[in-house]
Coordinates of all heavy atoms in Angstrom, one line a residue:
V1 N -87.3 37.2 -47.2 CA -86.3 38.0 -47.9 C -85.2 38.4 -47.0 O -84.0 38.3 -47.4 CB -87.0 39.3 -48.5 CG1 -85.9 40.3 -49.0 CG2 -88.0 38.9 -49.6
S2 N -85.4 38.7 -45.8 CA -84.4 39.1 -44.8 C -83.5 38.0 -44.5 O -82.3 38.1 -44.5 CB -85.0 39.6 -43.5 OG -84.0 39.9 -42.6
Q3 N -84.0 36.8 -44.4 CA -83.2 35.6 -44.1 C -82.3 35.3 -45.3 O -81.1 34.9 -45.2 CB -84.1 34.3 -43.8 CG -83.3 33.1 -43.4 CD -82.6 33.4 -42.1 OE1 -83.0 34.2 -41.2 NE2 -81.5 32.6 -41.9
G4 N -82.8 35.4 -46.5 CA -82.0 35.2 -47.7 C -80.9 36.1 -47.8 O -79.7 35.8 -48.2
F5 N -81.1 37.4 -47.5 CA -80.0 38.4 -47.5 C -79.0 38.1 -46.5 O -77.8 38.2 -46.7 CB -80.6 39.8 -47.2 CG -79.6 40.9 -47.2 CD1 -79.0 41.4 -48.3 CD2 -79.1 41.4 -45.9 CE1 -78.1 42.3 -48.3 CE2 -78.2 42.3 -45.9 CZ -77.6 42.8 -47.1
N6 N -79.4 37.7 -45.3 CA -78.5 37.3 -44.2 C -77.6 36.1 -44.6 O -76.4 36.1 -44.4 CB -79.2 36.9 -42.9 CG -79.7 38.2 -42.2 OD1 -79.2 39.3 -42.4 ND2 -80.7 38.0 -41.4
N7 N -78.2 35.1 -45.3 CA -77.4 34.0 -45.8 C -76.4 34.4 -46.9 O -75.3 33.9 -46.8 CB -78.4 32.9 -46.3 CG -79.1 32.2 -45.2 OD1 -78.7 32.2 -44.0 ND2 -80.2 31.6 -45.6
L8 N -76.8 35.3 -47.8 CA -75.9 35.8 -48.8 C -74.8 36.5 -48.2 O -73.6 36.4 -48.5 CB -76.7 36.7 -49.8 CG -75.9 37.3 -50.9 CD1 -75.3 36.2 -51.8 CD2 -76.7 38.3 -51.7
F9 N -75.1 37.4 -47.2 CA -74.0 38.2 -46.5 C -73.1 37.3 -45.8 O -71.9 37.4 -45.9 CB -74.7 39.1 -45.5 CG -73.7 40.0 -44.8 CD1 -73.0 41.0 -45.4 CD2 -73.4 39.7 -43.4 CE1 -72.1 41.8 -44.7 CE2 -72.5 40.5 -42.7 CZ -71.8 41.5 -43.4
K10 N -73.6 36.2 -45.1 CA -72.7 35.3 -44.4 C -71.8 34.5 -45.4 O -70.6 34.3 -45.1 CB -73.5 34.3 -43.6 CG -74.1 34.9 -42.3 CD -74.9 33.9 -41.6 CE -75.6 34.5 -40.4 NZ -76.5 33.5 -39.7
S11 N -72.4 34.1 -46.5 CA -71.7 33.5 -47.6 C -70.5 34.3 -48.1 O -69.4 33.8 -48.3 CB -72.6 33.0 -48.7 OG -71.9 32.4 -49.7
R12 N -70.8 35.6 -48.4 CA -69.7 36.5 -48.9 C -68.6 36.7 -47.9 O -67.5 36.7 -48.2 CB -70.3 37.8 -49.3 CG -71.1 37.7 -50.6 CD -71.4 39.0 -51.1 NE -72.1 38.9 -52.4 CZ -72.6 39.9 -53.0 NH1 -72.6 41.1 -52.5 NH2 -73.2 39.7 -54.2
R13 N -69.1 36.9 -46.6 CA -68.1 37.1 -45.5 C -67.2 35.8 -45.4 O -66.0 35.9 -45.2 CB -68.8 37.4 -44.2 CG -67.9 37.9 -43.1 CD -68.7 38.4 -41.9 NE -69.6 37.3 -41.5 CZ -70.7 37.5 -40.7 NH1 -71.0 38.7 -40.4 NH2 -71.4 36.5 -40.3
S14 N -67.8 34.7 -45.5 CA -67.1 33.4 -45.4 C -66.1 33.3 -46.6 O -64.9 32.9 -46.4 CB -68.0 32.2 -45.4 OG -67.3 31.0 -45.5
N15 N -66.5 33.7 -47.8 CA -65.6 33.7 -49.0 C -64.5 34.6 -48.8 O -63.3 34.3 -49.1 CB -66.4 34.0 -50.2 CG -67.3 32.9 -50.7 OD1 -67.2 31.8 -50.2 ND2 -68.3 33.2 -51.5
I16 N -64.7 35.8 -48.2 CA -63.6 36.7 -48.0 C -62.7 36.2 -47.0 O -61.4 36.3 -47.1 CB -64.2 38.1 -47.5 CG1 -64.9 38.8 -48.7 CG2 -63.1 39.0 -47.0 CD1 -65.8 39.9 -48.3
G17 N -63.2 35.5 -45.9 CA -62.3 34.9 -44.9 C -61.5 33.8 -45.5 O -60.3 33.7 -45.2
M18 N -62.0 33.0 -46.4 CA -61.3 31.9 -47.0 C -60.2 32.5 -47.9 O -59.1 32.0 -48.0 CB -62.2 30.9 -47.8 CG -63.0 30.0 -46.8 SD -61.9 29.1 -45.7 CE -61.0 28.1 -46.8
A19 N -60.5 33.5 -48.7 CA -59.6 34.2 -49.6 C -58.4 34.7 -48.8 O -57.2 34.6 -49.2 CB -60.2 35.3 -50.4
R20 N -58.7 35.3 -47.7 CA -57.6 35.9 -46.8 C -56.8 34.7 -46.2 O -55.6 34.8 -46.2 CB -58.3 36.7 -45.6 CG -57.2 37.1 -44.7 CD -57.4 38.6 -44.3 NE -56.5 39.0 -43.3 CZ -55.3 39.5 -43.5 NH1 -54.8 39.6 -44.8 NH2 -54.5 39.9 -42.5
F21 N -57.4 33.6 -45.8 CA -56.7 32.5 -45.3 C -55.7 31.9 -46.4 O -54.6 31.7 -46.1 CB -57.6 31.3 -44.9 CG -56.9 30.0 -44.6 CD1 -56.2 29.9 -43.4 CD2 -56.9 29.0 -45.6 CE1 -55.5 28.7 -43.2 CE2 -56.2 27.8 -45.3 CZ -55.5 27.7 -44.2
R22 N -56.2 31.8 -47.6 CA -55.3 31.3 -48.7 C -54.2 32.2 -48.9 O -53.0 31.8 -49.1 CB -56.1 31.1 -50.0 CG -57.0 29.9 -50.0 CD -57.6 29.7 -51.4 NE -58.9 29.2 -51.3 CZ -60.1 29.9 -51.3 NH1 -60.0 31.2 -51.4 NH2 -61.2 29.4 -51.2
W23 N -54.4 33.5 -48.9 CA -53.3 34.5 -49.1 C -52.3 34.4 -48.0 O -51.1 34.4 -48.2 CB -53.9 35.9 -49.1 CG -52.9 37.0 -49.4 CD1 -52.3 37.3 -50.5 CD2 -52.3 37.8 -48.4 NE1 -51.4 38.4 -50.4 CE2 -51.4 38.7 -49.0 CE3 -52.5 37.9 -47.0 CZ2 -50.6 39.6 -48.3 CZ3 -51.7 38.9 -46.3 CH2 -50.8 39.7 -47.0
V24 N -52.8 34.4 -46.7 CA -51.9 34.3 -45.5 C -51.1 32.9 -45.6 O -49.9 32.9 -45.4 CB -52.6 34.4 -44.2 CG1 -51.8 34.0 -43.0 CG2 -53.2 35.8 -44.0
A25 N -51.8 31.8 -45.9 CA -51.1 30.6 -46.0 C -50.0 30.6 -47.1 O -48.9 30.1 -46.9 CB -52.1 29.5 -46.3
H26 N -50.3 31.2 -48.2 CA -49.3 31.3 -49.3 C -48.1 32.1 -48.8 O -47.0 31.7 -49.1 CB -50.0 32.0 -50.5 CG -49.0 32.3 -51.6 ND1 -48.5 31.3 -52.5 CD2 -48.4 33.5 -52.0 CE1 -47.7 31.9 -53.3 NE2 -47.6 33.2 -53.0
K27 N -48.3 33.2 -48.1 CA -47.2 34.0 -47.6 C -46.4 33.3 -46.6 O -45.1 33.3 -46.7 CB -47.7 35.3 -47.0 CG -48.3 36.3 -48.0 CD -47.1 36.7 -48.9 CE -47.6 37.8 -49.9 NZ -46.6 38.2 -50.8
V28 N -47.0 32.5 -45.7 CA -46.3 31.7 -44.7 C -45.5 30.7 -45.4 O -44.3 30.5 -45.0 CB -47.3 31.1 -43.7 CG1 -46.6 30.1 -42.8 CG2 -47.9 32.2 -42.8
I29 N -46.0 30.0 -46.3 CA -45.3 28.9 -47.0 C -44.1 29.5 -47.7 O -43.0 28.9 -47.7 CB -46.2 28.1 -48.0 CG1 -47.3 27.3 -47.1 CG2 -45.4 27.2 -48.9 CD1 -48.4 26.8 -48.0
E30 N -44.3 30.6 -48.4 CA -43.2 31.2 -49.1 C -42.0 31.6 -48.2 O -40.9 31.4 -48.6 CB -43.7 32.5 -49.8 CG -44.5 32.3 -51.1 CD -43.7 31.7 -52.2 OE1 -42.6 32.2 -52.4 OE2 -44.3 30.8 -52.9
K31 N -42.3 32.1 -47.0 CA -41.3 32.7 -46.2 C -40.7 31.7 -45.2 O -39.7 31.9 -44.6 CB -41.9 33.9 -45.4 CG -42.2 35.0 -46.3 CD -42.7 36.2 -45.5 CE -43.0 37.4 -46.4 NZ -42.9 38.6 -45.8
S32 N -41.3 30.5 -45.1 CA -40.9 29.5 -44.0 C -40.1 28.4 -44.7 O -40.2 28.1 -45.8 CB -42.1 28.9 -43.4 OG -42.9 29.9 -42.8
D33 N -39.2 27.9 -43.8 CA -38.4 26.7 -44.2 C -39.1 25.4 -43.8 O -39.1 24.4 -44.4 CB -37.0 26.7 -43.6 CG -36.2 27.9 -44.2 OD1 -36.3 28.2 -45.4 OD2 -35.4 28.5 -43.4
I34 N -39.8 25.5 -42.6 CA -40.5 24.4 -42.0 C -41.9 24.9 -41.6 O -42.1 25.9 -41.1 CB -39.8 23.9 -40.8 CG1 -38.4 23.4 -41.1 CG2 -40.6 22.7 -40.1 CD1 -37.5 23.0 -39.9
I35 N -42.9 24.1 -42.0 CA -44.3 24.4 -41.7 C -44.8 23.3 -40.7 O -44.7 22.1 -41.0 CB -45.2 24.5 -43.0 CG1 -44.8 25.7 -43.8 CG2 -46.6 24.6 -42.6 CD1 -43.7 25.4 -44.7
L36 N -45.5 23.8 -39.7 CA -46.1 22.9 -38.7 C -47.6 22.9 -39.0 O -48.2 23.9 -39.0 CB -45.9 23.3 -37.3 CG -44.4 23.3 -36.8 CD1 -44.4 23.9 -35.4 CD2 -43.8 22.0 -36.9
E37 N -48.2 21.7 -39.2 CA -49.6 21.6 -39.4 C -50.1 20.9 -38.1 O -49.9 19.8 -37.8 CB -50.0 20.7 -40.6 CG -51.4 20.6 -40.8 CD -51.7 19.7 -42.1 OE1 -50.9 18.9 -42.5 OE2 -52.8 19.9 -42.6
V38 N -50.9 21.7 -37.3 CA -51.4 21.2 -36.0 C -52.8 20.5 -36.3 O -53.7 21.1 -36.8 CB -51.6 22.3 -35.0 CG1 -52.1 21.8 -33.7 CG2 -50.2 23.0 -34.8
L39 N -52.9 19.3 -35.9 CA -54.0 18.4 -36.1 C -54.7 18.1 -34.8 O -54.0 17.9 -33.8 CB -53.7 17.1 -36.8 CG -52.9 17.3 -38.1 CD1 -52.4 16.0 -38.6 CD2 -53.7 18.0 -39.2
D40 N -56.0 18.0 -34.8 CA -56.8 17.6 -33.6 C -56.7 16.0 -33.6 O -57.1 15.3 -34.5 CB -58.2 18.0 -33.8 CG -59.0 17.8 -32.5 OD1 -58.8 16.8 -31.8 OD2 -59.9 18.6 -32.2
A41 N -56.2 15.5 -32.5 CA -56.0 14.0 -32.3 C -57.4 13.3 -32.4 O -57.4 12.1 -32.8 CB -55.3 13.7 -31.0
R42 N -58.4 14.0 -32.0 CA -59.7 13.3 -32.1 C -60.3 13.2 -33.5 O -61.1 12.3 -33.8 CB -60.8 14.1 -31.3 CG -60.3 14.1 -29.8 CD -61.2 15.1 -29.1 NE -60.9 16.5 -29.6 CZ -61.7 17.5 -29.3 NH1 -62.7 17.5 -28.6 NH2 -61.3 18.7 -29.9
F43 N -59.9 14.1 -34.4 CA -60.4 14.2 -35.8 C -59.3 14.5 -36.8 O -59.3 15.4 -37.5 CB -61.4 15.3 -35.9 CG -62.5 15.3 -34.8 CD1 -62.4 16.3 -33.7 CD2 -63.5 14.4 -34.7 CE1 -63.3 16.3 -32.7 CE2 -64.4 14.4 -33.7 CZ -64.4 15.4 -32.7
V44 N -58.3 13.6 -36.8 CA -57.1 13.9 -37.6 C -57.5 14.1 -39.1 O -57.1 15.0 -39.7 CB -56.1 12.7 -37.5 CG1 -54.9 12.9 -38.4 CG2 -55.6 12.7 -36.0
K45 N -58.3 13.1 -39.6 CA -58.6 13.3 -41.1 C -59.5 14.5 -41.4 O -59.4 15.1 -42.4 CB -59.4 12.0 -41.5 CG -58.5 10.8 -41.5 CD -59.2 9.6 -42.1 CE -58.3 8.4 -42.2 NZ -58.9 7.2 -42.8
D46 N -60.2 15.0 -40.4 CA -61.0 16.2 -40.6 C -60.3 17.4 -40.5 O -60.7 18.5 -41.0 CB -62.2 16.2 -39.6 CG -63.2 15.1 -39.8 OD1 -63.3 14.6 -41.0 OD2 -63.9 14.7 -38.9
T47 N -59.1 17.4 -39.8 CA -58.3 18.6 -39.6 C -57.1 18.7 -40.6 O -56.4 19.7 -40.5 CB -57.9 18.7 -38.1 OG1 -57.2 17.6 -37.8 CG2 -59.1 19.0 -37.2
L48 N -56.9 17.7 -41.4 CA -55.9 17.8 -42.4 C -56.3 18.8 -43.4 O -57.4 19.0 -43.8 CB -55.7 16.5 -43.1 CG -55.1 15.3 -42.3 CD1 -55.2 14.0 -43.1 CD2 -53.6 15.6 -42.0
N49 N -55.3 19.6 -44.0 CA -55.6 20.5 -45.0 C -54.7 20.1 -46.2 O -53.6 20.5 -46.4 CB -55.2 21.9 -44.6 CG -55.7 23.0 -45.5 OD1 -55.7 22.8 -46.7 ND2 -56.1 24.1 -45.0
R50 N -55.3 19.3 -47.1 CA -54.6 18.8 -48.3 C -54.1 19.9 -49.2 O -53.1 19.8 -49.8 CB -55.5 17.8 -49.0 CG -56.0 16.6 -48.2 CD -54.8 15.7 -47.9 NE -55.3 14.5 -47.2 CZ -54.6 13.7 -46.5 NH1 -53.3 14.0 -46.4 NH2 -55.0 12.7 -45.9
S51 N -54.9 20.9 -49.3 CA -54.5 22.1 -50.2 C -53.2 22.7 -49.7 O -52.3 22.9 -50.5 CB -55.6 23.1 -50.2 OG -55.2 24.2 -50.9
V52 N -53.1 22.9 -48.4 CA -51.8 23.5 -47.9 C -50.7 22.4 -48.0 O -49.6 22.8 -48.4 CB -52.0 23.9 -46.4 CG1 -50.7 24.2 -45.7 CG2 -53.0 25.1 -46.3
E53 N -51.0 21.2 -47.7 CA -50.0 20.1 -47.9 C -49.4 20.1 -49.3 O -48.2 20.0 -49.5 CB -50.6 18.8 -47.5 CG -50.9 18.7 -46.0 CD -51.6 17.5 -45.6 OE1 -51.7 16.5 -46.4 OE2 -52.2 17.5 -44.5
R54 N -50.3 20.2 -50.3 CA -49.8 20.2 -51.7 C -48.9 21.4 -52.0 O -47.9 21.3 -52.7 CB -51.0 20.1 -52.6 CG -51.7 18.8 -52.8 CD -52.7 18.8 -53.9 NE -53.8 19.7 -53.7 CZ -54.9 19.4 -53.0 NH1 -55.1 18.1 -52.5 NH2 -55.9 20.2 -52.9
K55 N -49.3 22.5 -51.5 CA -48.5 23.7 -51.7 C -47.2 23.7 -51.1 O -46.2 24.1 -51.7 CB -49.3 25.0 -51.2 CG -50.5 25.3 -52.0 CD -51.3 26.5 -51.5 CE -52.5 26.7 -52.3 NZ -53.3 27.8 -51.8
V56 N -47.1 23.1 -49.9 CA -45.9 23.0 -49.2 C -45.0 22.0 -49.9 O -43.8 22.2 -50.1 CB -46.1 22.4 -47.7 CG1 -44.8 22.0 -47.1 CG2 -46.8 23.5 -46.9
K57 N -45.5 20.9 -50.4 CA -44.8 19.9 -51.2 C -44.3 20.5 -52.5 O -43.1 20.3 -52.9 CB -45.6 18.7 -51.5 CG -44.9 17.6 -52.1 CD -45.8 16.3 -52.3 CE -45.0 15.2 -52.9 NZ -45.8 14.0 -53.1
A58 N -45.1 21.3 -53.1 CA -44.7 21.9 -54.4 C -43.6 22.9 -54.2 O -42.8 23.1 -55.2 CB -45.9 22.7 -55.0
K59 N -43.4 23.5 -53.1 CA -42.4 24.4 -52.8 C -41.2 23.8 -52.2 O -40.2 24.4 -51.8 CB -42.9 25.5 -51.9 CG -43.9 26.4 -52.4 CD -43.4 27.3 -53.5 CE -44.5 28.2 -54.0 NZ -44.0 29.1 -55.1
N60 N -41.2 22.4 -52.1 CA -40.1 21.6 -51.5 C -39.7 22.1 -50.1 O -38.6 22.2 -49.7 CB -38.8 21.7 -52.4 CG -39.1 21.0 -53.7 OD1 -39.7 19.9 -53.7 ND2 -38.6 21.6 -54.8
K61 N -40.8 22.4 -49.3 CA -40.6 22.8 -47.9 C -40.8 21.5 -47.0 O -41.4 20.5 -47.5 CB -41.6 23.9 -47.5 CG -41.5 25.1 -48.4 CD -40.3 25.9 -48.1 CE -40.3 27.2 -49.0 NZ -39.7 28.3 -48.4
I62 N -40.4 21.6 -45.8 CA -40.6 20.5 -44.8 C -42.0 20.8 -44.1 O -42.2 21.9 -43.6 CB -39.5 20.5 -43.8 CG1 -38.2 20.2 -44.5 CG2 -39.7 19.5 -42.7 CD1 -36.9 20.4 -43.7
L63 N -42.8 19.7 -44.1 CA -44.1 19.8 -43.4 C -44.0 18.8 -42.2 O -43.7 17.6 -42.4 CB -45.2 19.4 -44.3 CG -46.6 19.3 -43.6 CD1 -47.1 20.7 -43.2 CD2 -47.6 18.7 -44.6
I64 N -44.3 19.3 -41.0 CA -44.4 18.4 -39.8 C -45.8 18.5 -39.3 O -46.3 19.6 -39.1 CB -43.4 19.0 -38.7 CG1 -41.9 18.9 -39.2 CG2 -43.6 18.1 -37.4 CD1 -40.9 19.4 -38.3
Q65 N -46.4 17.4 -39.2 CA -47.8 17.3 -38.7 C -47.7 17.0 -37.2 O -47.1 16.0 -36.8 CB -48.6 16.2 -39.4 CG -48.8 16.6 -40.9 CD -49.4 15.5 -41.7 OE1 -49.2 14.3 -41.4 NE2 -50.3 15.9 -42.6
V66 N -48.3 17.9 -36.4 CA -48.3 17.8 -34.9 C -49.7 17.3 -34.5 O -50.7 18.0 -34.8 CB -47.9 19.1 -34.3 CG1 -47.9 19.0 -32.8 CG2 -46.7 19.6 -34.8
I67 N -49.7 16.2 -33.8 CA -51.0 15.7 -33.2 C -51.0 16.0 -31.7 O -50.1 15.7 -31.0 CB -51.2 14.2 -33.5 CG1 -51.2 14.0 -35.0 CG2 -52.4 13.7 -32.9 CD1 -51.3 12.6 -35.4

């Protein structure tokens, strides 16, 4: 029971963290003219954030991907 509660707590904390990230990302995209997306050269495909890229494109902002 204790392990299940810990997993549920971690899941909720993770969801709150992701919601905050989405809110911050939205605010940054709204206020910026150019957005830099920093990618890990070892794992480029794993570090891309398609959701952010779509939002940037929808707002007609400039996206520069830095490797």
Side-chain angles (χ1 to χ4, degrees):
V1 170
S2 177
Q3 186 65 26
F5 178 77
N6 285 338
N7 288 340
L8 177 63
F9 180 73
K10 286 179 185 176
S11 175
R12 283 190 179 173
R13 190 171 57 204
S14 177
N15 288 341
I16 291 169
M18 286 305 298
R20 175 133 175 89
F21 169 78
R22 283 190 216 92
W23 181 81
V24 169
H26 173 76
K27 290 294 186 186
V28 168
I29 292 168
E30 286 289 321
K31 293 183 179 204
S32 301
D33 296 322
I34 299 172
I35 291 85
L36 300 177
E37 182 179 24
V38 180
L39 306 171
D40 187 325
R42 300 167 296 170
F43 312 106
V44 174
K45 289 185 180 183
D46 293 332
T47 54
L48 290 170
N49 191 324
R50 299 291 184 201
S51 174
V52 169
E53 292 171 16
R54 283 191 296 272
K55 289 176 184 178
V56 170
K57 186 176 181 179
K59 296 288 184 184
N60 293 319
K61 305 285 181 150
I62 298 169
L63 176 67
I64 299 174
Q65 294 174 325
V66 180
I67 298 177

